Amino acid sequence: MARQKGIIKLEGRIGDLSFYKSGNDYLARSKGGVEGDRIKNDPAYARTRENGQEFGRAGKAGKLIRNALKVPIKKAADNKVSSRLAALVLKAIQADTTNARGKRNVMDGDLSLLQGFEFNDKQSLESIVTAPFTIAIDRGAGTFTVNVQDFVPTTEIVSVEGATHLKFIAAAAAIDFTNGSYEVDVAESAEIVIGTDAQAALNIAGALSADSPNPILMVFGVEFYQSVNGAMYPLNNNASNPLAMVAVDVA
């Protein structure tokens, strides 16, 4: 790997050299490695094939989760959330003690490892919300709730410069990882003034189909807004909005 230092930065391939951007850096590397056919067929690369199969499942499952929860994620996710989530899903797959290497999968793995995942690596939920809250999923009834105890916004929510209001957002998705489908519901609070007046307790609730056989993943977070002439504008700085995976319920 080499770093491009010239004024003109290249992207693409010229002969055996590949030019590409990684983060803020422009890099170059030469073509190399083992031929694809050998990796596919040579017994010496059996472990490589097994790892690749499970890595592929992790990427596919991570994308399914992000698609299912795209409404809350789009206002909070950092630019590396895809790879960070896929890496965690891979750990969940590797916790599968039923199937052989290369055959391990999400459903036989340990999805509880996803609980606590932060979609915004710049702001964790617990660093922003110090007001006490509880989370509940009732699989039988198909409901999910967040109960936030009464709080004072200026002292129990770490606000963002320029924000005048905040809103809590919760979502839950019942995800069928086998067939690549999902059911999702999103629930939000009303806009809350960021001031010194005490805010009454809140109940944020949503619903999915009762008795879903699929894993239910639930997220909870905060979005910040600025009021201008009576209209609410979301702050453009997504790095300020925390969102976390607060519950994973597996049937």
Side-chain angles (χ1 to χ4, degrees):
M1 181 184 69
R3 196 178 305 274
Q4 299 182 51
K5 293 186 176 181
I7 297 175
I8 300 175
K9 307 299 184 184
L10 302 176
E11 292 188 67
R13 177 173 292 179
I14 300 176
D16 289 337
L17 292 177
S18 294
F19 300 88
Y20 62 100
K21 183 179 181 183
S22 177
N24 295 321
D25 296 322
Y26 287 86
L27 308 173
R29 63 186 173 197
S30 62
K31 181 180 178 181
V34 182
E35 293 295 330
D37 287 343
R38 186 179 176 192
I39 292 176
K40 292 178 182 178
N41 300 298
D42 191 334
Y45 289 92
R47 297 289 86 80
T48 300
R49 290 193 294 274
E50 292 164 358
N51 292 337
Q53 290 165 352
E54 293 181 354
F55 184 80
R57 283 189 205 106
K60 185 176 180 180
K63 183 177 181 180
L64 187 61
I65 293 170
R66 289 185 287 110
N67 285 343
L69 297 168
K70 61 185 177 183
V71 171
I73 288 176
K74 69 180 180 181
K75 293 184 180 179
D78 59 75
N79 58 9
K80 293 185 178 179
V81 69
S82 299
S83 58
R84 293 195 300 109
L85 181 58
L88 190 57
V89 174
L90 181 59
K91 289 183 179 180
I93 289 173
Q94 291 170 338
D96 175 357
T97 59
T98 302
N99 300 291
R101 282 178 58 115
K103 301 294 184 182
R104 294 179 294 189
N105 61 77
V106 175
M107 292 303 297
D108 292 319
D110 185 4
L111 279 171
S112 68
L113 294 176
L114 274 62
Q115 186 160 326
F117 178 78
E118 298 283 352
F119 290 88
N120 182 349
D121 67 350
K122 302 294 190 299
Q123 296 287 4
S124 67
L125 181 63
E126 67 176 12
S127 71
I128 298 297
V129 180
T130 61
F133 65 87
T134 58
I135 303 294
I137 295 175
D138 187 329
R139 178 179 291 276
T143 60
F144 63 93
T145 57
V146 179
N147 290 297
V148 183
Q149 295 184 21
D150 54 297
F151 66 100
V152 177
T154 53
T155 59
E156 294 175 275
I157 305 291
V158 179
S159 186
V160 181
E161 184 177 357
T164 61
H165 293 70
L166 65 88
K167 179 165 63 177
F168 293 110
I169 184 167
I175 302 179
D176 184 343
F177 288 98
T178 302
N179 296 308
S181 60
Y182 55 83
E183 177 190 9
V184 63
D185 191 31
V186 180
E188 301 177 340
S189 71
E191 289 90 359
I192 299 167
V193 175
I194 302 174
T196 57
D197 292 338
Q199 168 68 46
L202 297 171
N203 179 270
I204 306 160
L208 302 170
S209 296
D211 292 315
S212 172
N214 298 313
I216 297 175
L217 308 184
M218 182 177 172
V219 298
F220 177 54
V222 179
E223 296 174 359
F224 290 102
Y225 293 81
Q226 185 177 78
S227 176
V228 179
N229 297 328
M232 289 292 175
Y233 296 90
L235 295 187
N236 290 328
N237 183 12
N238 282 6
S240 303
N241 296 335
L243 183 76
M245 186 83 72
V246 291
V248 176
D249 187 278
V250 179

